Amino acid sequence: RFDWCGNYQGGFCPVRSQDSYFHLNLEGQAAYHERWNYAGDYREASAVVHRDGRATHIDRAGNLLHGKWFQDLDVFHKGLARARDLDGWMHIDELGHPKYNRRFQVVEPFYNGQARVQCWNGSWQVINELAETVVEIASAREVDAFAAVSADLVGFWKTQTLCAAVELGLFEALPGNLESV
């Protein structure tokens, strides 16, 4: 009857039928009429759904919870959800509002008022719910200047070598051709 079936969470089960996702209620009936590109599990009375490359939350009746759309989104955990906009990852409240202004490369859910995040410079921090750094747990990856210059020089000379080989006709002088390879 369905192409795919998830598990019941919070009284609802996500299913896929004819390339569309929706939720079943405990009676096995469609919980609402809307269809989505993807629908996840319910948690804390809402679920994440995707349409046209964006994600939002819906309530138990299938209505948009806050009407805000994100690049990616997670379920709520203790009233906050991980969300990604064009600037990066953050945490949002149940109204879809960012909890703070900072954006990160990676965020984990809050646990007892703190979350582990990865900053854009590669460092890992623990932040509080105001996005203030509580502790830095891994510093930014420092670029080895010598290694960076060395890699650039190797790339330059590889290109120059290939250019010279073409100009001198070395590839034509090699035995064999495309048909024999």
Side-chain angles (χ1 to χ4, degrees):
R1 175 174 157 168
F2 298 108
D3 299 323
W4 176 84
C5 182
N7 297 313
Y8 273 92
Q9 299 286 331
F12 298 91
C13 176
V15 295
R16 186 182 71 237
S17 178
Q18 300 175 357
D19 295 330
S20 293
Y21 287 78
F22 58 97
H23 291 92
L24 300 179
N25 59 25
L26 290 173
E27 290 76 41
Q29 303 298 316
Y32 49 79
H33 294 291
E34 197 70 42
R35 298 297 180 260
W36 308 99
N37 297 127
Y38 178 79
D41 290 336
Y42 270 86
R43 181 184 168 115
E44 295 189 18
S46 67
V48 174
V49 293
H50 292 250
R51 175 173 289 144
D52 301 325
R54 299 183 310 149
T56 192
H57 290 107
I58 59 171
D59 63 18
R60 292 178 185 267
N63 300 313
L64 299 182
L65 184 65
H66 46 65
K68 307 278 193 299
W69 292 85
F70 299 92
Q71 303 301 308
D72 202 358
L73 194 58
D74 202 359
V75 294
F76 285 101
H77 176 74
K78 298 182 180 179
L80 296 174
R82 299 176 332 115
R84 183 171 58 87
D85 64 12
L86 293 173
D87 296 321
W89 284 94
M90 67 190 134
H91 294 89
I92 62 168
D93 63 21
E94 292 171 338
L95 298 175
H97 297 135
K99 186 77 173 150
Y100 46 78
N101 290 327
R102 289 178 74 184
R103 297 296 184 272
F104 298 95
Q105 188 171 346
V106 175
V107 296
E108 292 182 357
F110 276 99
Y111 177 72
N112 291 338
Q114 64 180 29
R116 189 174 78 117
V117 299
Q118 185 180 31
C119 300
W120 292 105
N121 67 2
S123 67
W124 286 91
Q125 299 177 352
V126 174
I127 62 168
N128 63 21
E129 291 186 9
L130 299 175
E132 298 167 332
T133 302
V134 174
V135 65
E136 185 170 315
I137 53 179
S139 61
R141 289 177 239 116
E142 293 184 21
V143 177
D144 180 349
F146 178 79
V149 170
S150 178
D152 286 344
L153 287 172
V154 168
F156 171 80
W157 286 112
K158 281 183 181 178
T159 302
Q160 292 300 312
T161 302
L162 288 172
C163 183
V166 169
E167 288 176 359
L168 294 171
L170 292 179
F171 294 116
E172 288 80 16
L174 293 174
N177 54 38
L178 287 178
E179 289 78 27
S180 65
V181 174

